[in-house]
Amino acid sequence: MTVPVGTPPPPAAVTAALRTARRRDRRVYTRSHPVLFALLAATRRRAVTRIGGAVLVHGPDAYRQALTRIPLDRTAAGTTGGAARELSTGGTLFDQEGTGHRATRRAVADGLGAAGVERLRPVWQDVLARRLAPLAEGRETDLVPLARELAGATVRALLGTTADPEALAEAAARAASAAVRDHLPGPRRPGTARAAAAATARLQALLEPPGGPDEAGDTALRAMLTVAAVNTTVAALPRAAAWCADAGLWDQAADDRLRPDLVDELLRVVAPSPLLPRVAAADADLDGCPVRAGDRLILVARHAARAHAAPPDAHHPAPPAVAHLVFGAGSHACPGARLARAQLDDTLAALAPYRPVVTGARVDRTAALPGWRSLTVRATDDRHRSPEPR
């Protein structure tokens, strides 16, 4: 029997597709951080759980409260800010407090605001057109190298550096892996400090302006912006595409009216930075759980945003107050959220005409953020031609 184009699939098929998509996406956690994933899954039914000197925060209200109402030591060892200090001396982009924090954020506001994103858009659209061209010929393409080049080219344009986009992305990935991965619960691997120093030196050399070494604060800004932009993009874009392929979401991705909500939903579900490690700077109470100064807070963005419970659906999106928790909350929310949404929106729009399916996927076991080492796709429509210009 031939099913007319546009006919909604039966409920059983939708359920099976969502189960397939969920099963595949879980692999980026279970194969890269199996012990940590098991611990988080076992404790997620409670909004806040204490395990020794660590407080695991899963509930959306408690997560928001931890970021906005509890004094935090943003530069303590084992936090994102601590990792930033390893990457460079001077100010940092996401975790610095006080006037330095505000000045740093203002310095990148133009580049990450609405006008700045529109100026950058042609950069990643060129990468998409070139990297997705094989789909028009019926061939496969790997979305991970696409995401790396897209992220590297965007950062290069944003910072005005002359570095090769893929070299820049590779250096940022190595720096993040060395400086952040060892902050997760568990024993440190030997040689972590040496690896972090070498990776940092390589990244800073690529980011050095043509005129010579930059000021320390600018170096920190450039390094942290590069690390954050590259690693979250490489983690998010391929995983979001796999969700669309496995869960049958290409119709939503092709609809200009639905796609913005689908973008928010996919970012909520893939939660590119699933954990935010922090350290309490003062005694507090978090959803009835006493928190002491010096306690380690593991803020589970993935659970706060209900990524584990509610699949992506542009027809019934989660409230923005929940969906946007993957970008943090309050004054320290990620300033690159607009850029992330725009890049994913354009990626989905470029992929949707091909209705690609996943033909191969390998988990990246060494990356700082859960993601794919390779994710190959091919077109399923019988046209195998380039999509109409948008």
Side-chain angles (χ1 to χ4, degrees):
M1 180 179 68
T2 300
V3 178
V5 175
T7 300
V14 172
T15 300
L18 289 173
R19 188 179 299 117
T20 297
R22 176 81 67 188
R23 187 183 306 118
R24 186 193 302 277
D25 197 58
R26 280 170 57 95
R27 284 167 54 194
V28 300
Y29 296 100
T30 59
R31 297 194 179 183
S32 60
H33 301 99
V35 175
L36 176 62
F37 183 80
L39 172 64
L40 297 179
T43 59
R44 71 186 180 203
R45 288 177 176 80
R46 298 186 62 181
V48 182
T49 299
R50 173 178 287 280
I51 300 180
V55 178
L56 278 61
V57 182
H58 300 276
D61 293 337
Y63 174 95
R64 190 179 297 104
Q65 180 185 356
L67 285 173
T68 60
R69 301 176 63 182
I70 293 181
L72 300 174
D73 183 350
R74 298 278 183 163
T75 60
T79 69
T80 307
R85 296 298 174 182
E86 292 180 22
L87 282 171
S88 180
T89 59
T92 61
L93 179 59
F94 298 104
D95 294 285
Q96 186 182 335
E97 297 286 357
T99 56
H101 172 74
R102 291 191 293 272
T104 303
R105 290 174 69 96
R106 283 196 300 269
V108 299
D110 287 345
L112 298 178
V117 168
E118 287 306 309
R119 287 194 299 268
L120 292 170
R121 206 164 209 142
V123 173
W124 68 72
Q125 287 181 333
D126 175 72
V127 175
L128 288 170
R130 181 164 32 81
R131 287 279 189 172
L132 296 181
L135 297 180
E137 302 168 359
R139 296 186 288 126
E140 294 181 344
T141 192
D142 190 340
L143 297 184
V144 175
L146 178 153
R148 279 201 300 264
E149 184 183 354
L150 183 152
T154 301
V155 169
R156 182 178 70 169
L158 178 62
L159 299 181
T161 180
T162 59
D164 175 76
E166 294 183 67
L168 195 59
E170 178 65 23
R174 290 181 179 274
S177 179
V180 176
R181 188 177 171 86
D182 67 301
H183 293 156
L184 296 174
R188 279 195 173 199
R189 295 179 179 181
T192 294
R194 290 192 302 274
T200 298
R202 169 63 175 161
L203 177 60
Q204 291 180 338
L206 289 172
L207 290 172
E208 186 175 296
D214 211 349
E215 295 295 328
D218 290 339
T219 300
L221 167 61
R222 295 159 73 89
M224 282 307 297
L225 181 59
T226 302
V227 166
V230 167
N231 286 278
T232 54
T233 301
V234 173
L237 294 190
R239 288 178 61 195
W243 262 101
C244 287
D246 292 337
L249 300 176
W250 291 124
D251 284 341
Q252 295 184 21
D255 190 323
D256 290 343
R257 297 167 300 176
L258 288 176
R259 194 168 54 252
D261 284 334
L262 179 62
V263 165
D264 272 353
E265 281 290 276
L266 288 168
L267 289 171
R268 175 183 66 81
V269 169
V270 302
S273 297
L275 302 179
L276 303 182
R278 299 288 187 266
V279 170
D283 293 349
D285 181 272
L286 192 57
D287 197 49
C289 176
V291 174
R292 299 182 295 270
D295 278 347
R296 189 175 188 185
L297 304 178
I298 307 297
L299 310 182
V300 189
R302 180 174 186 269
H303 294 163
R306 308 296 294 162
H308 64 294
D313 184 357
H315 293 289
H316 304 94
V322 173
H324 295 175
L325 289 177
V326 294
F327 293 109
S331 62
H332 295 284
C334 174
R338 187 191 302 273
L339 178 65
R341 293 188 184 101
Q343 290 180 329
L344 181 54
D345 190 291
D346 283 355
T347 300
L348 297 181
L351 284 168
Y354 300 113
R355 304 297 196 272
V357 293
V358 177
T359 58
R362 288 192 301 150
V363 172
D364 192 336
R365 299 173 186 266
T366 63
L369 300 176
W372 299 107
R373 186 175 186 84
S374 68
L375 186 94
T376 55
V377 299
R378 64 172 172 80
T380 57
D381 65 347
D382 59 359
R383 294 166 293 173
H384 296 313
R385 54 178 168 83
S386 298
E388 295 297 324
R390 294 182 63 213

